[in-house]
């Protein structure tokens, strides 16, 4: 009987094993993860779970009995330390397991601040795992001062939770504006106004110089010379794909574990999916860091592990919750040269165009705008910018145009 092993029990790993069984695979499946929890969803960690609005059980991607019911061996709390590609085995502690087909879904790791600037002090946190969220949560005491380093989605979501819980929040972003890497100026402006209205002290174009404290962080010096008293710090300065296992095994790395359109790595018996994997798109090896990508790419990889030849076409979508605003994003805004703002009774959306063609949307409390734009983008259709900007336009009519 064939043995398929999946290393990394997160969103993409779960997607692969689920799809393998859905496709009728009857062989042996082992899903191995180094975290102690069974596969869970990460997005609530910086949103509802941190706020205390979501119970632990609801984070899990499947009920506890799922794995036994589906004949999937779930191994948690154990790290895969090596792949022997010639022997087709992996090493987990003292065990060596043989595979017929292997999938790597090792995710990504957050960048940390260097030790030299206080990155290792107690009270300095990154936000990636359930264990991280559980460690941070007790710090969220009303009146405490938190410094958030980095104005990307995770930093902004943590700032929103902290402000809602009555903490004194300072957020520093080294770039000229928050969300600079991922969104248009209009979207940055929208979220700056939102956070400022909730009392967040948001400082853009200012970096962190150093954290100070004896053992535990108590202060921060910013690049403009300002000093702050802080009770704790959350660092949200981006992530790197976790390619360590693949790299040590001599698998090609290019912006993550390089795969072909089918998710196959440079070793034909080894696939990769999710945050750790790059795939060919528009002439480059692209990598996406999102739940949607982990699920969809995982499903494609599962089919190809079974010998099919299914190509992965990304349909990027993403979301973020901050205060009472739900942001929904579809498409990829990279290379846009025009932004169209649509504003209708508090529902707001920013439509991105490149060379006159709709490529992406950021929709704030605008599920209808999001849904219509997403369908147009995925269908390769366009929408007249003037009509989009006109609040009187019935968006559904754009789909019929
Ligand atoms: P992961 O979910 O990270 O899973 C990889 C797993 O592999 C990890 O458990 C890791 O510890 C394990 N592993 C690594 N190496 C080994 C090894 N050698 N042996 C065993 N196990 C190993 N995306 C959205 O689309 N919307 C959001 O709103 C959103 N919010 C987010 C909020 C937070 C706080 C975070 C951290 C992420 C958020 N994301 C969001 C991103 C999304 O969660 C990730 O893109 C997604 O989890 C990627 O899935 P993955 O399976 O590739 O990686």
């Amino acid at each position: 009987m064939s043995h398929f092993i999946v290393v990394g029990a997160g969103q993409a790993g779960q997607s692969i094993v689920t799809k393998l069984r859905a496709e009728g695979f009857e062989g042996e499946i082992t899903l191995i993860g180094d975290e102690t929890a069974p596969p869970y969803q990460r997005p609530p960690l910086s949103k509802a779970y941190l706020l205390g609005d979501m119970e632990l059980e609801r984070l899990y991607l499947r009920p506890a009995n799922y794995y036994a019911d589906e004949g999937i061996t779930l191994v948690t709390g154990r790290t895969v330390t090596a792949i022997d590609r010639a022997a087709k085995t992996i090493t987990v502690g003292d065990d060596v397991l043989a595979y017929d087909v292997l999938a790597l879904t090792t995710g990504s790791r957050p960048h940390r601040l260097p030790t030299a600037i206080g990155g290792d002090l107690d009270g300095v946190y990154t936000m990636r795992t359930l264990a991280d969220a559980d460690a941070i949560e007790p710090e969220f005491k009303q009146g405490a001062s938190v410094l958030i380093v980095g104005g990307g989605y995770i930093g902004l979501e943590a700032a929103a939770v902290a402000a809602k819980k009555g903490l004194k929040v300072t957020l520093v972003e080294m770039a000229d504006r928050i969300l600079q890497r991922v969104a248009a100026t209009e979207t940055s402006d929208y979220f700056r106004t939102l956070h400022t209205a909730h009392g967040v002290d948001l400082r853009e174009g200012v970096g962190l110089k150093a954290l100070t404290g004896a053992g535990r962080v108590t202060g921060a010096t910013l690049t403009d010379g300002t000093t702050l008293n802080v009770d704790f710090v959350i660092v949200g300065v981006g992530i790197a794909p976790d390619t360590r296992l693949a790299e040590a095994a001599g698998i090609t790395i290019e912006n993550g574990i390089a795969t072909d359109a089918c998710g196959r790595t440079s070793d034909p018996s080894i696939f990769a999916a999710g945050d750790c994997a790059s795939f060919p798109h528009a002439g480059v090896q692209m990598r996406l860091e999102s739940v949607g990508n982990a699920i969809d790419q995982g499903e494609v990889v599962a089919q190809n592990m079974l010998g099919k030849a299914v190509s992965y076409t990304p349909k990027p979508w993403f979301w973020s919750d901050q205060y009472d605003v739900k942001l929904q994003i579809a498409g990829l805004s990279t290379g846009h040269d025009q932004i169209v703002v649509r504003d209708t009774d508090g529902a707001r959306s920013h439509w991105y165009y490149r060379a006159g063609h709709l490529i992406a949307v950021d929709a704030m409390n605008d599920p209808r705008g999001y849904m219509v734009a997403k369908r147009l983008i995925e269908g390769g259709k366009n929408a007249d910018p003037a009509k989009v900007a006109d609040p009187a336009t019935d968006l559904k009519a754009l789909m019929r145009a």
Side-chain angles (χ1 to χ4, degrees):
M1 196 171 30
S2 292
H3 186 194
F4 287 8
I5 298 182
V6 180
V7 180
Q11 193 82 55
Q14 180 65 56
S15 173
I16 291 177
V17 300
T18 303
K19 187 68 174 172
L20 284 172
R21 284 291 184 240
E23 289 284 308
F25 177 64
E26 290 179 351
E28 211 182 324
I29 301 177
T30 305
L31 174 62
I32 309 171
D34 57 4
E35 294 182 67
T36 49
Y40 61 90
Q41 37 172 339
R42 295 186 196 282
L45 297 182
S46 51
K47 308 178 181 78
Y49 183 74
L50 191 59
L51 201 52
D53 279 355
M54 189 175 186
E55 286 176 11
L56 178 62
E57 286 296 313
R58 287 187 51 215
L59 285 184
Y60 298 136
L61 293 174
R62 290 292 182 282
N65 60 340
Y66 165 86
Y67 301 94
D69 290 354
E70 292 291 323
I72 294 166
T73 305
L74 173 65
V75 179
T76 55
R78 299 194 69 192
T79 305
V80 175
T81 50
I83 305 168
D84 181 336
R85 297 201 284 130
K88 291 181 87 170
T89 59
I90 58 162
T91 305
V92 197
D94 293 334
D95 298 328
V96 174
L97 304 181
Y99 64 83
D100 295 290
V101 184
L102 181 68
L104 302 176
T105 52
T106 47
S108 45
R109 295 188 303 150
H111 293 306
R112 290 172 194 279
L113 296 179
T115 307
I117 65 162
D120 289 346
L121 289 170
D122 287 346
V124 180
Y125 300 93
T126 51
M127 172 83 83
R128 179 74 195 171
T129 64
L130 181 56
D132 292 337
D134 286 342
I136 295 171
E137 197 277 330
E139 302 272 14
F140 275 66
K141 296 186 199 90
Q142 192 168 9
S145 294
V146 58
L147 171 66
I148 296 177
V149 184
Y153 288 117
I154 288 181
L156 291 173
E157 289 174 357
V161 171
K164 268 182 122 167
K165 286 194 151 192
L167 278 75
K168 200 168 158 283
V169 188
T170 307
L171 185 147
V172 291
E173 168 53 61
M174 198 167 64
D176 290 346
R177 58 181 175 88
I178 53 169
L179 299 175
Q180 189 172 61
R181 196 174 61 87
V182 288
T185 309
E186 288 78 354
T187 302
S188 302
D189 293 347
Y190 180 96
F191 283 98
R192 181 186 309 105
T193 304
L194 182 70
H195 279 275
T196 307
H198 283 84
V200 173
D201 178 359
L202 210 156
R203 306 186 189 191
E204 295 162 295
V206 182
L208 173 74
K209 196 165 174 203
L211 298 175
T212 50
R216 188 182 162 95
V217 68
T218 51
T221 307
L222 307 183
T223 49
D224 64 2
T226 314
T227 57
L228 305 169
N229 292 326
V230 301
D231 293 314
F232 71 105
V233 176
I234 297 177
V235 180
V237 292
I239 54 178
D242 193 340
T243 58
R244 292 172 296 177
L245 194 57
E247 212 169 339
I251 292 168
T252 304
I253 308 295
E254 187 183 340
N255 184 26
I257 304 171
T259 70
D260 64 13
C262 295
R264 193 179 272 105
T265 69
S266 55
D267 182 320
S269 302
I270 304 179
F271 291 78
D275 277 17
C276 68
S278 68
F279 54 89
H281 184 75
V284 294
Q285 282 296 121
M286 167 178 278
R287 207 170 53 75
L288 295 173
E289 300 163 357
S290 71
V291 164
N293 175 66
I295 294 172
D296 295 349
Q297 202 181 15
E299 290 187 350
V300 165
V301 159
Q303 294 173 72
N304 293 323
M305 289 171 81
L306 294 169
K308 299 194 173 164
V310 182
S311 289
Y312 178 52
T313 307
K315 292 180 179 169
W317 57 274
F318 192 84
W319 77 97
S320 176
D321 298 324
Q322 295 168 46
Y323 310 101
D324 297 328
V325 174
K326 176 167 276 300
L327 164 69
Q328 293 171 289
I329 301 172
L332 292 173
S333 59
T334 325
H336 70 270
D337 51 25
Q338 184 186 1
I339 299 286
V340 173
V341 177
R342 183 176 167 85
D343 215 334
T344 46
D345 295 332
R348 166 119 174 186
S349 46
H350 300 156
W351 300 53
Y352 295 76
Y353 288 80
R354 185 172 54 218
H357 211 85
L358 178 65
I359 54 169
V361 70
D362 296 340
M364 280 73 66
N365 287 343
D366 186 5
R368 178 180 287 250
Y370 169 73
M371 191 265 295
V372 169
K374 185 171 190 284
R375 286 205 190 154
L376 291 168
I377 294 161
E378 290 178 2
K381 294 187 178 165
N382 210 359
D384 178 349
K387 286 191 179 149
V388 168
D390 182 354
T393 301
D394 172 15
L395 281 182
K396 286 213 169 143
L398 291 177
M399 290 199 291
R400 293 191 290 272

